[in-house]
Structure formats: structure tokens, C-alpha cells
Amino acid sequence: MPRWERLKWARKAAGYDTATDACNAFGWPSLDTYRSHEREPRGKSPGFNEEWAERYAQAFHVDWLWLLHGQGAPKSQSGAGQIPTYEQAWGEMAPAEKALAIKLFKTAREAS
């Protein structure tokens, strides 16, 4: 499976139906860049490199070497037992949980 298909698979396996959903959840600024990484490249590569692979792998909980090169298995065992980053935790939250968190942050900000 080519890398752009692995990226799309990882996104969907992580629970994001669309590229827009993933970009919004993780605060990635360029939807066009992300979408270009999920498409078969035409001509010159659209820049899906190691840096992007590591970012996407962390967000979608897959191994970056698998994502970029197809090496090994999609799910890495190396991160087992680690405390998730805020970005990972946010990405795993249900929409209702996110709405509640935003409300709490706004209330806290207004109170300070």
C-alpha cells in the first residue's frame, strides 16, 4: 500500500472520517497540505517527509516508519504505557467531551 493510502487508513482507523475532521482536531493549519499528503503524488512529491510522518503517526497512534515507508506494523508497541500528549488526548475525546472542555476553559478564562 502506498504511503498516501497508509495515511488515509491511519486517519480513518483513528476515528476521523474526513481530512477536515483530522485537521480541525489537531489544529493543523493547512488542510490543502494534508489533503495533498493523502493523494497520489503527481510529478514532484508534495512534501510528505519524515517530519510530517512523525506528526501524523503521533496523532493517529501508528508507527511513523510504517506510515512513511511501510516498514513493520501500523501500530507501534514502543509507545505503550506512555502518557499521551494534549494533542493525542484531545484527538481521542468525543465531541461532547470536547465541547465541555471548551466551556470549562472559557469559564476559567473569564473568571481570571
Side-chain angles (χ1 to χ4, degrees), residues 1-77:
M1 164 183 341
R3 77 175 89 178
W4 60 89
E5 288 180 6
R6 289 190 298 272
L7 178 58
K8 190 178 288 189
W9 179 91
R11 173 182 49 80
K12 290 182 178 185
Y16 300 97
D17 293 331
T18 67
T20 302
D21 291 340
C23 285
N24 289 339
F26 295 104
W28 296 331
S30 178
L31 179 59
D32 290 336
T33 297
Y34 180 83
R35 283 184 176 155
S36 75
H37 293 166
E38 279 197 358
R39 283 194 304 267
E40 181 174 2
R42 288 180 238 145
K44 188 178 178 185
S45 171
F48 184 9
N49 57 24
E50 186 175 306
E51 180 182 341
W52 284 109
E54 288 175 348
R55 181 181 298 183
Y56 298 147
Q58 182 180 20
F60 300 146
H61 306 287
V62 296
D63 186 272
W64 75 271
L65 285 172
W66 172 81
L67 193 57
L68 189 61
H69 301 293
Q71 297 174 357
K75 301 289 182 175
S76 172
Q77 298 303 314

